[in-house]
Amino acid sequence: MENLTFKLPISPKKIAMVFLAIVIFLVMANIVGQYYKDAFAGNEIVLKIIRKFNLDLEKNNVPTWYQSSTLLLSSFLLLIVTLVRREKKDSDFRYWGVLSAIFLYLSLDEAVSIHEQLTMPLRTTFDLGGFFYLSWVIPAGIFLVIFFFVFLKFLLRLPSETRFLMITAGMIFVFGAVGVEMLGGEYLYLTNDLPTRVNDFRYALLTTVEETLEMLGIVIFIYTLLSYLSPQEAEARVLETTKPIKHFEGKIALNQ
């Protein structure tokens, strides 16, 4: 089997900067739109554009498309790592494969909001409120605890820089997706869900922080994966170029 290679046309840092610029644009468009939407209450065209950049509307808008796409890209990069590590006979390739499957699900969930379907059944069954008002955070928290203990040894075996960046990306993403979401649940609980029915700029800022942290976490994660893949690609090319040289040198020695 030929060595798998992964050659980037530009550096991981430059790719990450492009994604970061997109995140900044989306966040600013959301904040401006939420702040000025009352001024355009009678202009349906402008309001439609504002809704297309609302970070809290988790379907049929630009931020949702962007986040789902970057999660899908993460899944694809993880799949490449899986194939590369399997070819190198690294037993940890299974962990990379599981991560690829998880991010594929996250991409789908971002597009259709599967996790939100758990909120009402859990809230009704267990009479939940406060920080657990958005009740899907409970199974999410249980999953994160299990994930941590299952993947702990795998994380410790990673190169130090990769491990640091991956943990940093995960903490930022989880703090936004679960931690700030719990703060939002507490706010909704105390205000009797009013932000879902009336304009509330304070709640819009809270959801903006949540979504921004999620997007930043994914940018760091993509950069981590690209940086992790690049040295392996270089190593694969070195192996491919040195094998013929060694074989040629061996033939010369035999002839002598």
Side-chain angles (χ1 to χ4, degrees), residues 19 24-26 28 37 44 46 48 54 61-62 69 93 100 102 110 114 122 148 158 161 172-173 209 234 252-253 255:
F19 281 120
I24 293 173
F25 169 76
L26 292 175
M28 294 306 298
K37 65 182 178 182
E44 187 57 34
V46 175
K48 186 175 181 180
N54 186 349
N61 67 356
V62 177
S69 298
F93 82 88
S100 179
I102 290 173
E110 185 66 33
I114 300 173
L122 288 172
F148 174 78
L158 291 174
E161 183 179 354
I172 292 174
F173 182 86
V209 172
I252 292 177
N255 289 335

Short mmCIF file of all heavy atoms in Angstrom, two decimals, residues 19 24-26 28 37 44 46 48 54 61-62 69 93 100 102 110 114 122 148 158 161 172-173 209 234 252-253 255:
data_model
loop_
_atom_site.label_atom_id
_atom_site.label_comp_id
_atom_site.label_asym_id
_atom_site.label_seq_id
_atom_site.Cartn_x
_atom_site.Cartn_y
_atom_site.Cartn_z
N PHE A 19 -10.63 31.27 8.91
CA PHE A 19 -11.81 30.88 9.70
C PHE A 19 -12.08 31.88 10.81
O PHE A 19 -13.23 32.19 11.11
CB PHE A 19 -11.61 29.47 10.28
CG PHE A 19 -11.84 28.37 9.30
CD1 PHE A 19 -10.83 27.47 9.00
CD2 PHE A 19 -13.06 28.21 8.68
CE1 PHE A 19 -11.04 26.45 8.09
CE2 PHE A 19 -13.29 27.19 7.77
CZ PHE A 19 -12.26 26.31 7.47
N ILE A 24 -15.35 36.33 13.27
CA ILE A 24 -15.47 37.74 13.68
C ILE A 24 -16.58 38.43 12.89
O ILE A 24 -17.39 39.18 13.46
CB ILE A 24 -14.13 38.47 13.49
CG1 ILE A 24 -13.09 37.92 14.48
CG2 ILE A 24 -14.30 39.98 13.71
CD1 ILE A 24 -11.70 38.46 14.26
N PHE A 25 -16.63 38.18 11.59
CA PHE A 25 -17.68 38.78 10.76
C PHE A 25 -19.07 38.33 11.21
O PHE A 25 -19.98 39.14 11.35
CB PHE A 25 -17.47 38.41 9.28
CG PHE A 25 -18.63 38.77 8.41
CD1 PHE A 25 -18.87 40.08 8.03
CD2 PHE A 25 -19.52 37.79 7.98
CE1 PHE A 25 -19.96 40.41 7.23
CE2 PHE A 25 -20.61 38.10 7.19
CZ PHE A 25 -20.83 39.43 6.81
N LEU A 26 -19.23 37.04 11.45
CA LEU A 26 -20.54 36.51 11.85
C LEU A 26 -20.97 37.07 13.21
O LEU A 26 -22.14 37.41 13.41
CB LEU A 26 -20.50 34.98 11.91
CG LEU A 26 -20.35 34.25 10.57
CD1 LEU A 26 -20.20 32.75 10.80
CD2 LEU A 26 -21.54 34.53 9.66
N MET A 28 -20.00 39.96 14.62
CA MET A 28 -20.31 41.38 14.49
C MET A 28 -21.64 41.59 13.77
O MET A 28 -22.44 42.46 14.16
CB MET A 28 -19.18 42.09 13.74
CG MET A 28 -17.85 42.12 14.48
SD MET A 28 -18.00 42.82 16.17
CE MET A 28 -18.56 44.48 15.79
N LYS A 37 -32.38 45.78 15.39
CA LYS A 37 -33.55 45.17 14.77
C LYS A 37 -34.85 45.91 15.12
O LYS A 37 -35.78 45.93 14.31
CB LYS A 37 -33.66 43.70 15.16
CG LYS A 37 -33.91 43.42 16.63
CD LYS A 37 -33.94 41.92 16.87
CE LYS A 37 -34.14 41.59 18.34
NZ LYS A 37 -34.14 40.14 18.59
N GLU A 44 -39.53 44.26 6.51
CA GLU A 44 -39.43 42.81 6.53
C GLU A 44 -38.17 42.31 5.82
O GLU A 44 -37.59 41.29 6.21
CB GLU A 44 -40.66 42.18 5.90
CG GLU A 44 -40.73 40.67 6.03
CD GLU A 44 -40.69 40.20 7.48
OE1 GLU A 44 -41.23 40.91 8.37
OE2 GLU A 44 -40.09 39.13 7.73
N VAL A 46 -35.15 43.80 5.65
CA VAL A 46 -34.00 43.95 6.54
C VAL A 46 -34.08 42.95 7.69
O VAL A 46 -33.07 42.35 8.07
CB VAL A 46 -33.92 45.39 7.09
CG1 VAL A 46 -32.79 45.52 8.11
CG2 VAL A 46 -33.72 46.39 5.95
N LYS A 48 -35.41 40.06 7.65
CA LYS A 48 -35.09 38.73 7.12
C LYS A 48 -33.58 38.56 7.05
O LYS A 48 -33.06 37.49 7.39
CB LYS A 48 -35.71 38.56 5.74
CG LYS A 48 -35.56 37.16 5.17
CD LYS A 48 -36.29 37.02 3.85
CE LYS A 48 -36.16 35.60 3.31
NZ LYS A 48 -36.88 35.45 2.02
N ASN A 54 -28.55 35.70 12.72
CA ASN A 54 -28.81 35.57 14.15
C ASN A 54 -28.19 34.27 14.66
O ASN A 54 -28.58 33.17 14.26
CB ASN A 54 -30.33 35.56 14.40
CG ASN A 54 -30.66 35.56 15.88
OD1 ASN A 54 -29.80 35.37 16.74
ND2 ASN A 54 -31.93 35.76 16.20
N ASN A 61 -29.89 29.43 8.53
CA ASN A 61 -29.21 30.72 8.48
C ASN A 61 -27.71 30.52 8.30
O ASN A 61 -27.20 29.40 8.35
CB ASN A 61 -29.53 31.58 9.72
CG ASN A 61 -28.96 31.02 11.00
OD1 ASN A 61 -28.38 29.94 11.02
ND2 ASN A 61 -29.12 31.74 12.07
N VAL A 62 -26.99 31.63 8.08
CA VAL A 62 -25.58 31.57 7.73
C VAL A 62 -24.72 30.99 8.86
O VAL A 62 -23.88 30.11 8.60
CB VAL A 62 -25.06 32.96 7.31
CG1 VAL A 62 -23.56 32.92 7.02
CG2 VAL A 62 -25.83 33.45 6.08
N SER A 69 -20.67 23.17 8.71
CA SER A 69 -19.62 22.89 7.73
C SER A 69 -18.27 22.69 8.40
O SER A 69 -17.50 21.79 8.02
CB SER A 69 -19.54 24.04 6.71
OG SER A 69 -20.74 24.16 5.99
N PHE A 93 -5.49 4.53 16.22
CA PHE A 93 -6.30 4.99 15.09
C PHE A 93 -7.79 4.84 15.38
O PHE A 93 -8.61 5.58 14.85
CB PHE A 93 -5.91 4.24 13.81
CG PHE A 93 -6.53 2.87 13.66
CD1 PHE A 93 -7.77 2.72 13.05
CD2 PHE A 93 -5.87 1.74 14.12
CE1 PHE A 93 -8.34 1.46 12.90
CE2 PHE A 93 -6.44 0.48 13.97
CZ PHE A 93 -7.68 0.33 13.36
N SER A 100 -13.92 11.08 14.72
CA SER A 100 -14.48 11.44 13.42
C SER A 100 -15.99 11.21 13.39
O SER A 100 -16.75 12.05 12.89
CB SER A 100 -13.80 10.63 12.32
OG SER A 100 -14.35 10.96 11.05
N ILE A 102 -18.00 11.13 16.01
CA ILE A 102 -18.63 12.09 16.93
C ILE A 102 -18.82 13.44 16.25
O ILE A 102 -19.90 14.06 16.34
CB ILE A 102 -17.79 12.25 18.22
CG1 ILE A 102 -17.87 10.97 19.05
CG2 ILE A 102 -18.28 13.45 19.03
CD1 ILE A 102 -16.95 10.98 20.27
N GLU A 110 -25.94 20.09 14.55
CA GLU A 110 -25.92 21.55 14.38
C GLU A 110 -26.92 21.98 13.31
O GLU A 110 -27.54 23.04 13.42
CB GLU A 110 -24.51 22.01 14.00
CG GLU A 110 -24.35 23.51 13.92
CD GLU A 110 -24.51 24.21 15.26
OE1 GLU A 110 -24.13 23.61 16.28
OE2 GLU A 110 -25.02 25.34 15.27
N ILE A 114 -30.83 18.18 16.89
CA ILE A 114 -31.33 16.94 17.49
C ILE A 114 -31.36 17.04 19.01
O ILE A 114 -32.32 16.59 19.67
CB ILE A 114 -30.46 15.74 17.06
CG1 ILE A 114 -30.49 15.59 15.53
CG2 ILE A 114 -30.93 14.45 17.73
CD1 ILE A 114 -29.53 14.55 15.00
N LEU A 122 -37.29 15.70 29.26
CA LEU A 122 -36.54 15.66 30.51
C LEU A 122 -37.06 16.70 31.49
O LEU A 122 -37.22 16.42 32.70
CB LEU A 122 -35.05 15.91 30.24
CG LEU A 122 -34.29 14.78 29.57
CD1 LEU A 122 -32.89 15.22 29.18
CD2 LEU A 122 -34.21 13.56 30.48
N PHE A 148 -14.33 11.73 28.78
CA PHE A 148 -13.06 12.12 29.41
C PHE A 148 -12.29 10.90 29.90
O PHE A 148 -11.08 10.76 29.63
CB PHE A 148 -13.32 13.07 30.57
CG PHE A 148 -12.10 13.42 31.35
CD1 PHE A 148 -11.18 14.35 30.87
CD2 PHE A 148 -11.84 12.81 32.58
CE1 PHE A 148 -10.03 14.67 31.59
CE2 PHE A 148 -10.70 13.12 33.31
CZ PHE A 148 -9.79 14.05 32.80
N LEU A 158 -0.66 11.71 23.11
CA LEU A 158 -0.47 12.65 22.01
C LEU A 158 0.77 13.50 22.23
O LEU A 158 1.20 13.70 23.37
CB LEU A 158 -1.69 13.56 21.88
CG LEU A 158 -3.00 12.93 21.41
CD1 LEU A 158 -4.14 13.95 21.49
CD2 LEU A 158 -2.87 12.41 19.98
N GLU A 161 2.25 19.43 22.24
CA GLU A 161 1.59 20.60 21.63
C GLU A 161 0.20 20.25 21.13
O GLU A 161 -0.75 21.00 21.32
CB GLU A 161 2.44 21.14 20.48
CG GLU A 161 1.85 22.39 19.84
CD GLU A 161 2.71 22.94 18.72
OE1 GLU A 161 3.82 22.42 18.50
OE2 GLU A 161 2.27 23.90 18.05
N ILE A 172 -12.88 25.21 25.44
CA ILE A 172 -13.58 26.41 24.94
C ILE A 172 -14.92 26.03 24.34
O ILE A 172 -15.96 26.67 24.61
CB ILE A 172 -12.71 27.14 23.91
CG1 ILE A 172 -11.47 27.75 24.59
CG2 ILE A 172 -13.50 28.25 23.21
CD1 ILE A 172 -10.48 28.36 23.62
N PHE A 173 -14.93 24.98 23.53
CA PHE A 173 -16.17 24.54 22.88
C PHE A 173 -17.20 24.09 23.91
O PHE A 173 -18.37 24.49 23.85
CB PHE A 173 -15.87 23.40 21.90
CG PHE A 173 -17.07 22.92 21.15
CD1 PHE A 173 -17.47 23.54 19.98
CD2 PHE A 173 -17.81 21.84 21.62
CE1 PHE A 173 -18.59 23.09 19.28
CE2 PHE A 173 -18.93 21.38 20.94
CZ PHE A 173 -19.33 22.01 19.75
N VAL A 209 -22.22 34.96 23.11
CA VAL A 209 -21.02 34.43 23.79
C VAL A 209 -20.96 32.92 23.60
O VAL A 209 -19.88 32.36 23.31
CB VAL A 209 -21.05 34.79 25.28
CG1 VAL A 209 -19.92 34.08 26.02
CG2 VAL A 209 -20.92 36.30 25.46
N ALA A 234 5.03 15.19 5.75
CA ALA A 234 6.45 15.38 5.45
C ALA A 234 7.22 14.08 5.71
O ALA A 234 8.09 13.70 4.92
CB ALA A 234 7.01 16.51 6.31
N ILE A 252 24.87 -0.59 -5.61
CA ILE A 252 26.26 -0.17 -5.86
C ILE A 252 27.21 -0.98 -4.99
O ILE A 252 28.27 -1.44 -5.45
CB ILE A 252 26.42 1.32 -5.56
CG1 ILE A 252 25.62 2.14 -6.59
CG2 ILE A 252 27.88 1.73 -5.58
CD1 ILE A 252 25.66 3.62 -6.34
N ALA A 253 26.84 -1.17 -3.73
CA ALA A 253 27.71 -1.92 -2.83
C ALA A 253 27.89 -3.36 -3.31
O ALA A 253 28.98 -3.93 -3.25
CB ALA A 253 27.14 -1.90 -1.41
N ASN A 255 27.65 -4.45 -6.39
CA ASN A 255 28.46 -4.47 -7.62
C ASN A 255 29.94 -4.33 -7.31
O ASN A 255 30.80 -4.86 -8.01
CB ASN A 255 28.01 -3.33 -8.55
CG ASN A 255 26.64 -3.62 -9.14
OD1 ASN A 255 26.25 -4.77 -9.25
ND2 ASN A 255 25.92 -2.57 -9.52
#
